[in-house]
Amino acid sequence: MRKQIVAGNWKMNKTASETRALLEELQAQLPATSAGVMVAPTFVNLTGAVEQLGGSAIEVVAQNMHFADSGAYTGEISADMLADIGIQTVILGHSERRAYFGEDDALLEKKTAQAISKGMQVIFCFGEELEDRKAGKHFEVVASQLKNALFGLPDTAWGQIILAYEPVWAIGTGETASPEQAQEMHAFIRKIVADAYTPEVADAVTILYGGSVKPGNAAEIFSKPDVDGGLIGGASLNAEDFSAIVAAIG
Ligand code: 13P
């Protein structure tokens, strides 16, 4: 059975004290679950979050990482720095990194390869823009994002990959892909992974959906057979909402 995951991407939100407070609320409110639960505070709050959550089932993950081991890359953070403070998972390729910081498939291929070689788990984000979907190009766009950044990896790397399909038009807009649209794309993603690798690799990879997941729509989205959980933005900043979303996965 595939691992189910609910991950909160806090983006550029929450100061150190706000991070502490939200984590306290989450520890008090999160329901018991067999799914993995992750939170991704901003870089400066990772150490505090790891210390605060020590021994808890909530995993702290990073929102980004550089591709180099170390060096003259002002403002950047390396895999070793993350590993050293106890971070084992990193989000890469978020649409906001692609749109606002010029991250493209070639850069993401390097970042992913680096994270894999450092033994980290990667939550790899991708998804089409509204104009792609309107033009009927969403499958093509998603296939090329995966092929360009991931399909050079060896089979063995796929144990460290979590995919996160996030249609850009559904992020922060209140507009959610319908459960059927999510399922259709997730099944397509699994098929192209099976074609590029093996059915076993495709069957084992966790594929998350992201984009306006809320307490009111989570259960239906998570009920789809190829949807293995969610990457949650806005609703992950509220303990009650995030707890309800975790409860929806069962
Ligand atoms: P929202 O849940 O706010 O739409 O954000 C989704 C997202 O980008 C998670 O990475």
Side-chain angles (χ1 to χ4, degrees):
M1 180 109 160
R2 282 190 292 275
K3 180 78 181 158
Q4 291 186 303
I5 292 169
V6 179
N9 175 9
W10 292 7
K11 308 189 181 184
M12 196 175 74
N13 292 293
K14 305 288 178 190
T15 62
S17 57
E18 289 165 351
T19 296
R20 260 192 309 278
L22 178 53
L23 292 177
E24 257 170 43
E25 286 176 27
L26 286 174
Q27 284 188 289
Q29 291 182 34
L30 277 174
T33 176
S34 56
V37 177
M38 301 176 174
V39 292
T42 188
F43 280 129
V44 291
N45 294 320
L46 290 175
T47 301
V50 169
E51 284 169 7
Q52 187 176 346
L53 293 177
S56 111
I58 309 171
E59 182 181 348
V60 181
V61 312
Q63 298 178 18
N64 185 27
M65 193 199 90
H66 196 265
F67 61 80
D69 281 350
S70 62
Y73 298 102
T74 301
E76 292 291 326
I77 307 283
S78 74
D80 287 341
M81 292 170 187
L82 294 174
D84 191 54
I85 57 163
I87 303 293
Q88 292 159 353
T89 302
V90 61
I91 298 170
L92 293 176
H94 193 279
S95 65
E96 289 145 19
R97 301 292 320 166
R98 294 176 191 255
Y100 308 139
F101 303 98
E103 297 201 5
D104 60 11
D105 293 347
L107 178 69
L108 293 169
E109 182 182 27
K110 290 207 279 190
K111 288 189 174 201
T112 305
Q114 173 73 350
I116 298 291
S117 81
K118 294 288 181 178
M120 294 186 76
Q121 182 166 243
V122 173
I123 300 177
F124 185 83
C125 304
F126 56 96
E128 82 282 1
E129 295 185 29
L130 184 57
E131 61 206 46
D132 302 322
R133 185 160 277 263
K134 281 189 175 155
K137 289 188 176 157
H138 41 299
F139 294 118
E140 196 183 311
V141 167
V142 161
S144 93
Q145 287 173 328
L146 292 179
K147 177 171 173 284
N148 293 342
L150 299 187
F151 287 178
L153 292 169
D155 285 38
T156 49
W158 280 77
Q160 291 163 254
I161 299 279
I162 295 162
L163 298 176
Y165 169 59
E166 299 204 307
V168 178
W169 48 273
I171 296 178
T173 59
E175 176 118 17
T176 319
S178 69
E180 292 70 31
Q181 284 173 320
Q183 168 56 27
E184 181 185 39
M185 183 58 88
H186 284 220
F188 171 76
I189 293 161
R190 219 176 283 289
K191 181 180 177 315
I192 58 176
V193 174
D195 291 346
Y197 291 89
T198 63
E200 289 73 25
V201 168
D203 195 47
V205 69
T206 294
I207 310 179
L208 308 180
Y209 169 79
S212 298
V213 177
K214 308 283 178 209
N217 60 21
E220 207 186 344
I221 294 170
F222 296 162
S223 73
K224 295 296 175 189
D226 286 298
V227 178
D228 306 313
L231 184 54
I232 320 301
S236 72
L237 298 172
N238 176 286
E240 209 172 301
D241 287 351
F242 192 63
S243 299
I245 293 169
V246 170
I249 206 157

